[in-house]
């Protein structure tokens, strides 16, 4: 991640590896919360020339467009190469409306669904790799950004369709510049019902905030992955 500032992203680091041992049966923890409405007086100017005539212009239309392309796609897994390209084109237009110094914008805080990643296995690590998906079905990927500098990433999974598992990470956010942030995560925690175990070691991710408003947040990982977060 280049120099950076405020709000974290990757759910589980891409270096996180799938482990084949399966713990025993738990009960699921469904991560849901009431929708919230934010009004921080943040606005963006409208009007941009779009090279692709199929792209809708203006921030509201672009937000609606990108969400229509990524929801119900299992975080991007179900999209084809051309569809990923379309998402990237809309994101590129949308970032023109990003507020100055997005890392300082209060809209970055809150609970977010990770609805898309251009590299679908980046969030969730090995659990969402081609091999991991043979055993694990992703139910939900959530990121909570708490003021002033706490990030909590949680992935809810179903093992073979009947065993519910939750993997979580807690991290400390550090602002690197006006757009980039760094998050140092503690070792992941695996939860099966009331049983918990921590394993592995610390990890670090960097993310550039390219757009944020009341509905969505866009992030660009240090290795080029595009993320779309939708506010819960």
């Amino acid at each position: 991640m280049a120099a950076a500032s405020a709000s974290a992203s990757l759910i589980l680091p891409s270096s996180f590896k799938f482990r084949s041992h399966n713990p025993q049966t738990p009960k699921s923890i469904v991560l849901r919360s009431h929708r919230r409405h934010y009004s921080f007086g943040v606005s963006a100017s409208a009007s941009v020339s779009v090279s692709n005539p199929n792209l809708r212009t203006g921030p509201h239309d672009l937000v609606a467009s990108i969400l229509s392309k990524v929801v119900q796609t299992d975080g991007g897994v179900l999209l084809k190469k051309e569809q990923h390209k379309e998402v990237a084109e809309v994101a590129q237009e949308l970032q023109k409306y990003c507020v100055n110094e997005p890392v300082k914008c209060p809209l970055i805080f809150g609970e977010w669904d990770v609805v898309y990643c251009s590299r679908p296995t980046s969030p969730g690590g090995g659990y969402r790799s081609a091999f991991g998906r043979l055993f694990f079905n992703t139910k939900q990927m959530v990121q909570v950004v708490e003021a002033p500098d706490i990030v909590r990433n949680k992935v809810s999974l179903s093992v073979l369709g009947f065993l519910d598992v939750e993997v979580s990470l807690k991290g400390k956010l550090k602002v690197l510049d006006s757009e980039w942030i760094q998050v140092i995560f503690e070792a992941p925690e695996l939860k099966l019902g009331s049983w918990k175990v921590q394993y592995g070691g610390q990890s670090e991710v960097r993310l550039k905030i390219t757009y944020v408003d009341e509905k969505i947040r866009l992030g660009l990982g240090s290795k080029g992955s595009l993320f779309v977060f939708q506010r819960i």
Side-chain angles (χ1 to χ4, degrees):
M1 203 181 236
S5 271
S7 143
S9 202
L10 315 184
I11 284 295
L12 289 177
S14 56
S15 60
F16 181 75
K17 302 298 182 182
F18 167 77
R19 301 181 188 260
S20 59
H21 63 277
N22 284 337
Q24 294 135 20
T25 112
K27 290 195 176 179
S28 156
I29 303 230
V30 180
L31 305 169
R32 291 288 179 193
S33 67
H34 297 294
R35 288 193 172 275
R36 301 173 184 173
H37 300 282
Y38 296 79
S39 178
F40 294 100
V42 178
S43 61
S45 60
S47 163
V48 61
S49 63
V50 182
S51 57
N52 185 339
N54 294 321
L55 286 179
R56 296 186 287 175
T57 60
H60 297 298
D61 284 343
L62 290 169
V63 167
S65 176
I66 201 167
L67 287 177
S68 72
K69 296 177 186 298
V70 301
V71 295
Q72 304 300 320
T73 66
D74 191 11
V77 170
L78 303 180
L79 295 183
K80 297 179 180 179
K81 183 177 181 180
E82 185 60 34
Q83 292 172 308
H84 282 290
K85 182 179 178 182
E86 292 175 1
V87 173
E89 289 176 346
V90 179
Q92 188 172 12
E93 293 300 326
L94 191 53
Q95 69 184 25
K96 297 177 182 179
Y97 297 96
C98 188
V99 297
N100 292 328
E101 298 188 288
V103 295
K104 296 181 180 180
C105 179
L107 290 171
I108 67 173
F109 299 113
E111 298 184 49
W112 303 88
D113 267 331
V114 185
V115 292
Y116 173 82
C117 180
S118 57
R119 297 179 184 177
T121 59
S122 289
Y127 292 108
R128 285 176 54 77
S129 67
F131 179 70
R133 291 198 306 274
L134 294 176
F135 304 94
F136 294 93
N137 176 48
T138 304
K139 299 173 66 177
Q140 190 175 34
M141 298 184 291
V142 171
Q143 182 177 90
V144 180
V145 185
E146 301 175 354
D149 59 2
I150 299 298
V151 179
R152 301 178 190 276
N153 291 340
K154 299 178 184 179
V155 181
S156 295
L157 305 158
S158 176
V159 184
L160 299 175
F162 66 89
L163 183 63
D164 292 317
V165 178
E166 180 182 289
V167 181
S168 62
L169 291 171
K170 180 182 177 181
K172 185 88 167 178
L173 182 152
K174 178 183 178 182
V175 170
L176 301 177
D177 66 15
S178 62
E179 298 177 324
W180 284 89
I181 57 95
Q182 176 191 53
V183 183
I184 304 295
F185 286 106
E186 299 173 2
E189 180 182 85
L190 179 69
K191 184 176 182 180
L192 298 164
S194 60
W195 182 77
K196 301 178 183 179
V197 63
Q198 202 165 23
Y199 60 98
Q202 288 188 336
S203 58
E204 175 254 340
V205 296
R206 298 187 178 196
L207 189 76
K208 178 182 180 181
I209 303 172
T210 59
Y211 181 81
V212 62
D213 67 13
E214 296 87 349
K215 291 184 178 180
I216 73 168
R217 173 164 54 94
L218 301 183
L220 188 66
S222 56
K223 295 183 180 180
S225 298
L226 170 64
F227 289 82
V228 179
F229 302 84
Q230 182 177 24
R231 194 182 298 280
I232 298 175

